[in-house]
Amino acid sequence: MLGAVGMMAGSPAVAHDAEEPEKRDDIVVLGTRTSRDATLSSDRATERMSQSSRSIEQDILRAAGTYRLSDALELVSGSSQQNNRGGFADNFAIRGFLSTADGGGEYYTDGFIANRGSAPARDPATIERIEILKGPAGAVFGDIDPAGRVNMVSKTPRFAPQASASVQFGSFDTRRIELDATGPLTETLAARIVVATEDSDGYRDFVTLKRRVVSPSLTFRPNDGVQLTYLAQHIAYDSPFDRGVAAIDGDPLALPASRYLGEPSNGSTRARDTRRQLTGEAKLGGSWSLVGGLAYRTGSLRGFSADQSRLVDGHTLWRQRRERGYEVEDLSARLELRGDVKALGLHHPSIGIKGYTLDYLELLNRRNPSAANAYAIGIFNPVYGVAQPLPLLPSIDQRETRRVLSLYAQDAWEVSDRLSLVGGIRFDTYRQQLARNLVKATTVSKGRPVNFRLGARYTVTDAISVHANWGESFQLNSGSGAGGVAFAPEQGHGYEVGAAGHWRGVDVGITWFDIRKSNVLTTDPTDSNFLAPVGSLTSRGIEFDASLRLARRWQAVVNYAWTRARNDDRSFATPLALNVPDHSGTAFIVYRFDPGSGRDWSISGGVAYVGKRSGATDASGLVLPDYVKVKASAEIPLTTALTLRAEVDNLFDERYAQSSYNSFWIYPGAPRTVRASLRAQF
């Protein structure tokens, strides 16, 4: 592999990748799509019917300075940042809904759920593009969710030689190196390897970061009808587990953003995640093909922390010491037959089978604080290393296992040149077992739910179309609540209606949605150490997205969302959904120009607005204030192969709360952050 990388780096670049030409779809592409592997992406019905969806490509991800998934989600309406699990999770909500408040919203990588149980944040170096698939039509290989799905498509081999390397330095002594090389080994075999390493002191006192990522892959294409891609990825993520700051008299910004309320002597928590994946496509003749794959993932999260528990006398914070030992093993498989049938128009049917097994172990030892042993720290003048905890006690020792098999079928029917219909059905059979070892109790649940989706799209003119989608969802919840009872599955249904316009260089869409789900997990209002299900959560709102590309020089992305997410569960002190603003929006602009050097320079800038949000589910009434955050960057080509980039995030050093779990776990947003990088591309 190393020899191949050397040969690729020394080979001349070619103008076009040797990939199949891409067919035009109706997911709006933000940026320039270089290649598309049908085995890793959303299905064809989504491409046609989900006009509120967006695909964020590599050039826009780089221009926007995307270092976490939350940075990319700013470019699309209707997403909101959620509690980041001590800095170790990509956690978000779409249209007001998330998976769990502390475990993270489920997201896909190459069509497989990538973070069931526990997984560290993905590194941008391995991502080719990010698909934000909205509404009931936003399906990924048969999955249905009325809110939407996120699918991150990995970088995979190409048969055109290409290599790049970059070094970056930034605020808080951040150092980062990326290497990416791909190209043919033979006429039928191509390889790629992506490596990234990052070290940072961080903007939070004592909260350092050490991240290592390596992702090799191979693509075998013996003929035009068969393609197999093997991809592996290993992530090592080390950082102190950090629950952020506490609110003072209801003010989430009372303490400096740098104030660390944990204990440095607890050291770093270690997250490890290893993924092995094989995907492929076989063309059977005519328009028919088989698409499928296997993904096997193992992961762990281990370490100690001091988590904020209670504020007494206005300045003394009691803490709870914890030791985590989480392990996950996840095996997924899928196979789909797809093709075209002419009958009263053109049908695009697909039939698929998929399944997974999950083995998730949660071990948590902790010691609750008390007046006799508060394990306390002063919030205004913290002195570390003085408070000594008592020995930890077993708190959670449970193993969850799942066996799930799904069958699905759908048809995207082009009735005429103007009218398209889609219908889908999904049947699941599952067995979920939760063994709570401390009390010697085991809960087993089984079920065979059936869910449907329906949609229609009508082209009013060559430029304007209207659409409507309706769908149901079913999702298993992990773990148990404060009483030890296993959580029931989450169920939901919802619809969207909207209109979209496509003109040369301009894509505009507006969508109204209305979604209701039951058993959505959030922070328990009576005991924040646990999660609890909301009886019913309804989210409705309006989303507006626009993208413009004018004469190669100007590119703009603009969005706005009004999201009213409310629950009707009276056991919660507030009906507001955690961390979901009623109003949010973003504008991002890229301008490219040639100052006379023969090479394009670029400058870009963006502004993001996030409205007021509920910061807790309890009676504290905590509200996170609204904020405006500005970013800017410039890229200067020094030679044909070498580019200098400078960027600044939070340009005006806005103080803001990024997200919260309760009044004591509020994660502050990063202050002004400056980065400079040098990128070589061959």
Side-chain angles (χ1 to χ4, degrees):
M1 179 68 77
L2 291 175
V5 170
M7 288 188 291
M8 285 181 261
S11 302
V14 297
H16 300 285
D17 195 357
E19 305 289 343
E20 293 185 6
E22 178 193 356
K23 295 181 179 179
R24 164 71 171 155
D25 60 48
D26 288 307
I27 292 182
V28 176
V29 175
L30 305 182
T32 303
R33 179 171 290 180
T34 55
S35 63
R36 186 178 188 278
D37 186 340
T39 67
L40 309 179
S41 300
S42 54
D43 61 32
R44 291 182 299 177
T46 296
E47 295 168 13
R48 294 280 302 167
M49 307 299 293
S50 185
Q51 298 187 84
S52 57
S53 297
R54 296 292 182 268
S55 177
I56 309 175
E57 303 298 318
Q58 180 63 215
D59 55 340
I60 287 294
L61 291 174
R62 188 164 56 247
T66 300
Y67 293 96
R68 293 291 293 260
L69 178 58
S70 58
D71 299 325
L73 293 178
E74 286 182 352
L75 298 173
V76 176
S77 65
S79 66
S80 55
Q81 182 68 20
Q82 299 290 314
N83 164 59
N84 63 13
R85 202 179 201 183
F88 281 81
D90 285 318
N91 199 353
F92 57 89
I94 294 181
R95 292 182 172 176
F97 294 100
L98 69 161
S99 295
T100 66
D102 199 35
E106 283 189 348
Y107 60 79
Y108 286 71
T109 296
D110 305 330
F112 298 99
I113 291 181
N115 63 334
R116 267 191 290 253
S118 176
R122 281 290 302 270
D123 191 279
T126 64
I127 298 173
E128 182 67 36
R129 69 179 179 274
I130 300 176
E131 299 173 334
I132 294 93
L133 308 171
K134 297 284 199 69
V140 179
F141 294 99
D143 282 0
I144 309 171
D145 191 297
R149 296 289 195 181
V150 170
N151 182 44
M152 288 183 271
V153 178
S154 300
K155 292 179 178 178
T156 53
R158 299 180 183 176
F159 282 86
Q162 181 178 307
S164 66
S166 67
V167 293
Q168 180 189 95
F169 298 92
S171 301
F172 321 113
D173 199 23
T174 298
R175 296 91 64 200
R176 181 178 172 87
I177 299 174
E178 291 183 20
L179 301 172
D180 180 2
T182 186
L185 301 180
T186 68
E187 291 184 355
T188 60
L189 186 66
R192 188 165 195 164
I193 186 165
V194 179
V195 178
T197 175
E198 181 177 346
D199 293 272
S200 177
D201 289 345
Y203 65 95
R204 304 266 300 141
D205 295 339
F206 305 104
V207 184
T208 58
L209 169 66
K210 181 179 179 181
R211 177 160 55 180
R212 304 289 184 265
V213 180
V214 59
S215 180
S217 54
L218 292 168
T219 291
F220 179 55
R221 191 184 293 168
N223 54 57
D224 291 340
V226 176
Q227 176 173 304
L228 294 172
T229 296
Y230 171 79
L231 181 144
Q233 179 180 273
H234 178 71
I235 302 175
Y237 191 103
D238 295 356
S239 180
F241 202 88
D242 177 22
R243 288 296 192 180
V245 299
I248 311 296
D249 296 327
D251 183 2
L253 305 179
L255 294 177
S258 61
R259 182 64 43 82
Y260 179 56
L261 299 176
E263 195 62 55
S265 62
N266 283 322
S268 290
T269 292
R270 296 161 50 90
R272 298 292 183 267
D273 192 82
T274 301
R275 178 185 185 86
R276 302 170 186 87
Q277 174 182 297
L278 178 66
T279 57
E281 180 179 22
K283 296 180 180 179
L284 305 178
S287 63
W288 291 89
S289 63
L290 275 175
V291 175
L294 294 164
Y296 176 67
R297 185 177 70 89
T298 58
S300 62
L301 182 71
R302 298 187 179 95
F304 292 86
S305 68
D307 295 2
Q308 300 93 283
S309 181
R310 179 182 176 188
L311 185 64
V312 298
D313 65 32
H315 60 82
T316 303
L317 184 71
W318 291 9
R319 299 174 299 179
Q320 179 189 97
R321 191 166 191 251
R322 296 186 173 194
E323 179 188 13
R324 294 170 181 83
Y326 300 158
E327 295 182 2
V328 63
E329 183 177 11
D330 190 349
L331 174 64
S332 301
R334 66 168 189 257
L335 184 65
E336 179 177 296
L337 174 67
R338 55 174 62 165
D340 297 333
V341 175
K342 290 184 178 180
L344 300 177
L346 182 62
H347 296 260
H348 305 286
S350 58
I351 302 171
I353 181 171
K354 61 192 298 184
Y356 72 89
T357 64
L358 176 70
D359 188 341
Y360 181 37
L361 174 66
E362 290 183 276
L363 294 175
L364 181 67
N365 298 325
R366 71 181 177 194
R367 171 72 71 163
N368 287 323
S370 64
N373 192 280
Y375 194 42
I377 194 169
I379 60 175
F380 297 113
N381 185 26
V383 179
Y384 304 100
V386 175
Q388 297 299 316
L390 294 174
L392 299 181
L393 301 174
S395 175
I396 297 175
D397 180 352
Q398 61 188 23
R399 182 184 293 273
E400 178 188 358
T401 57
R402 298 185 196 173
R403 303 291 184 270
V404 180
L405 180 67
S406 304
L407 301 173
Y408 64 90
Q410 67 180 17
D411 181 23
W413 177 18
E414 295 180 37
V415 181
S416 67
D417 291 342
R418 294 195 176 275
L419 177 64
S420 297
L421 303 175
V422 65
I425 182 172
R426 177 181 170 119
F427 166 77
D428 292 281
T429 177
Y430 70 90
R431 183 183 190 276
Q432 183 182 32
Q433 177 177 298
L434 183 67
R436 293 179 290 124
N437 299 320
L438 295 179
V439 296
K440 309 296 184 185
T442 299
T443 303
V444 177
S445 61
K446 301 177 182 179
R448 294 181 176 180
V450 179
N451 291 285
F452 299 89
R453 62 183 285 210
L454 296 170
R457 176 179 182 269
Y458 184 74
T459 302
V460 181
T461 69
D462 290 342
I464 299 174
S465 60
V466 294
H467 68 278
N469 292 292
W470 173 88
E472 301 173 310
S473 66
F474 177 90
Q475 180 173 298
L476 296 175
N477 281 321
S478 286
S480 58
V485 178
F487 294 124
E490 175 191 293
Q491 294 179 280
H493 59 86
Y495 68 88
E496 66 173 16
V497 294
H502 303 281
W503 297 271
R504 184 176 179 84
V506 179
D507 291 281
V508 179
I510 186 168
T511 303
W512 162 267
F513 62 88
D514 191 307
I515 307 163
R516 179 182 292 269
K517 289 188 177 184
S518 60
N519 294 320
V520 177
L521 298 185
T522 188
T523 311
D524 190 323
T526 59
D527 188 345
S528 61
N529 291 309
F530 295 93
L531 300 175
V534 173
S536 179
L537 179 63
T538 300
S539 181
R540 56 176 59 97
I542 298 174
E543 295 173 343
F544 171 80
D545 288 90
S547 64
L548 300 89
R549 187 161 191 160
L550 306 176
R552 282 190 69 246
R553 298 300 181 189
W554 290 95
Q555 198 166 0
V557 176
V558 180
N559 66 69
Y560 165 77
W562 172 70
T563 307
R564 183 178 172 84
R566 303 290 190 268
N567 72 72
D568 61 1
D569 193 328
R570 295 188 178 181
S571 63
F572 287 77
T574 173
L576 302 177
L578 196 63
N579 291 303
V580 178
D582 279 4
H583 302 277
S584 61
T586 301
F588 181 75
I589 299 174
V590 182
Y591 175 60
R592 298 176 177 87
F593 64 98
D594 183 356
S597 62
R599 293 181 291 271
D600 276 355
W601 294 30
S602 73
I603 57 175
S604 61
V607 55
Y609 170 75
V610 177
K612 295 179 180 179
R613 297 140 287 152
S614 170
T617 59
D618 55 27
S620 66
L622 179 68
V623 173
L624 306 183
D626 60 350
Y627 66 90
V628 175
K629 185 164 66 76
V630 178
K631 64 172 63 177
S633 68
E635 287 194 4
I636 302 172
L638 303 179
T639 68
T640 55
L642 202 60
T643 301
L644 176 67
R645 176 181 171 86
E647 61 189 12
V648 55
D649 198 7
N650 196 0
L651 178 64
F652 299 113
D653 205 20
E654 176 84 354
R655 286 285 313 281
Y656 68 99
Q658 178 178 287
S659 62
S660 73
Y661 180 81
N662 56 37
S663 298
F664 305 107
W665 298 355
I666 303 166
Y667 211 83
R672 182 186 297 115
T673 303
V674 180
R675 307 181 187 96
S677 62
L678 194 62
R679 178 183 177 86
Q681 189 158 359
F682 308 96

